Amino acid sequence: NAGVMQNPRHLVRRRGQEARLRCSPMKGHSHVYWYRQLPEEGLKFMVYLQKENIIDESGMPKERFSAEFPKEGPSILRIQQVVRGDSAAYFCASSPGTGGQPYEQYFGPGTRLTVT
Amino acid sequence: GENVEQHPSTLSVQEGDSAVIKCTYSDSASNYFPWYKQELGKRPQLIIDIRSNVGEKKDQRIAVTLNKTAKHFSLHITETQPEDSAVYFCAAVSSGSARQLTFGSGTQLTVLP
């Protein structure tokens, strides 16, 4: 039973380039969350998605950041025109959303983005 | 929105001693409180959670208590071992929210052999 998968694990981008981060939820999970963790800090919520729907993006920066969770394929977090301040670990989590444990969130291994 | 405060930020204990980490939350509608353990460079791992209709939950050496009136919850680790060394995060989910986790700032636990 594969857990939450993220790729790439490490991503290096120059300032101004685009970063694309992918997340495949656990089997049977239909809810995906993205969190950002700056060095030596806690995790901050960015966006919550279900298939083909953005439920809550209140934690997303207004510009340059977007997320999607298409009907087929992984969820994608896209950062356009990256700046050095975007350097962080980006974690995806998934939850079943319904059933006995709807709130439990399981995290992927993260993508460590470095902007040079 | 929800605000979660966690303390202490660092905690050192001798192997075999107990460790306690405390968190407070602001939103009285919060009803789910998980704890995550994160080792350096690794993913956060869910180690225990508690719901607002329960005051205490235990799983082997780990226990969590919840005081809804005071809006605080605590993680207790007994008989600590060096492999317990990690950063521990508390979190809260509000029933009125879209279920996103609001995290505390983390506690670096070091268990000294």
Side-chain angles (χ1 to χ4, degrees), chain B residues 18-91:
Chain B
S18 296
V20 180
I21 303 170
K22 299 181 180 182
C23 290
T24 60
Y25 60 98
S26 61
D27 188 349
S28 57
S30 290
N31 62 354
Y32 174 66
F33 307 92
W35 286 87
Y36 287 84
K37 174 184 180 182
Q38 187 178 31
E39 297 175 19
L40 189 62
K42 300 287 182 64
R43 75 184 76 192
Q45 286 188 298
L46 178 64
I47 56 172
I48 195 168
D49 56 17
I50 191 167
R51 284 171 172 72
S52 57
N53 58 347
V54 175
E56 184 174 357
K57 183 177 178 180
K58 190 173 182 181
D59 183 3
Q60 299 184 345
R61 297 187 296 109
I62 295 174
V64 58
T65 59
L66 171 65
N67 183 327
K68 284 181 59 180
T69 303
K71 291 192 283 188
H72 67 69
F73 55 112
S74 301
L75 177 72
H76 305 252
I77 307 174
T78 58
E79 301 173 23
T80 53
Q81 301 167 3
E83 51 265 40
D84 294 330
S85 296
V87 178
Y88 291 81
F89 291 98
C90 62

Side-chain angles (χ1 to χ4, degrees), chain A residues 4 31 33 35 37 41-43 45 48 55-56 58 91 97-98 100-109 112, chain B residues 31-32 36 38 40-46 49 51 89 93-95 97-106:
Chain A
V4 179
H31 296 231
Y33 305 78
Y35 295 87
Q37 187 174 36
E41 292 191 13
L43 296 106
F45 166 75
Y48 163 42
I55 307 302
D56 183 346
S58 59
F91 288 95
T98 57
Q101 309 291 342
Y103 292 136
E104 287 187 4
Q105 293 186 25
Y106 297 91
F107 282 79
R112 280 150 185 85
Chain B
N31 62 354
Y32 174 66
Y36 287 84
Q38 187 178 31
L40 189 62
K42 300 287 182 64
R43 75 184 76 192
Q45 286 188 298
L46 178 64
D49 56 17
R51 284 171 172 72
F89 291 98
V93 174
S94 172
S95 61
S97 76
R99 305 182 184 175
Q100 70 267 26
L101 295 167
T102 300
F103 283 89
S105 54

Side-chain angles (χ1 to χ4, degrees), chain A:
Chain A
N1 183 16
V4 179
M5 300 178 70
Q6 289 186 250
N7 67 81
R9 297 289 304 277
H10 300 274
L11 183 61
V12 180
R13 285 286 179 267
R14 290 198 180 95
R15 279 179 297 171
Q17 292 185 319
E18 178 179 288
R20 191 171 295 201
L21 289 59
R22 296 175 189 80
C23 168
S24 296
M26 284 179 70
K27 186 177 180 180
H29 285 192
S30 58
H31 296 231
V32 166
Y33 305 78
W34 286 93
Y35 295 87
R36 177 164 64 177
Q37 187 174 36
L38 294 170
E40 314 254 328
E41 292 191 13
L43 296 106
K44 304 292 185 188
F45 166 75
M46 299 181 73
V47 62
Y48 163 42
L49 311 103
Q50 297 177 24
K51 286 283 187 183
E52 300 184 280
N53 278 307
I54 297 174
I55 307 302
D56 183 346
E57 56 183 347
S58 59
M60 289 270 273
K62 293 286 187 286
E63 298 176 351
R64 302 187 297 109
F65 286 72
S66 62
E68 62 177 6
F69 190 13
K71 187 176 181 181
E72 300 291 337
S75 175
I76 295 176
L77 179 67
R78 185 181 292 108
I79 311 172
Q80 296 177 306
Q81 299 176 321
V82 295
V83 301
R84 288 219 172 111
D86 296 334
S87 295
Y90 292 83
F91 288 95
C92 165
S94 72
S95 74
T98 57
Q101 309 291 342
Y103 292 136
E104 287 187 4
Q105 293 186 25
Y106 297 91
F107 282 79
T111 294
R112 280 150 185 85
L113 172 65
T114 302
V115 179
T116 62

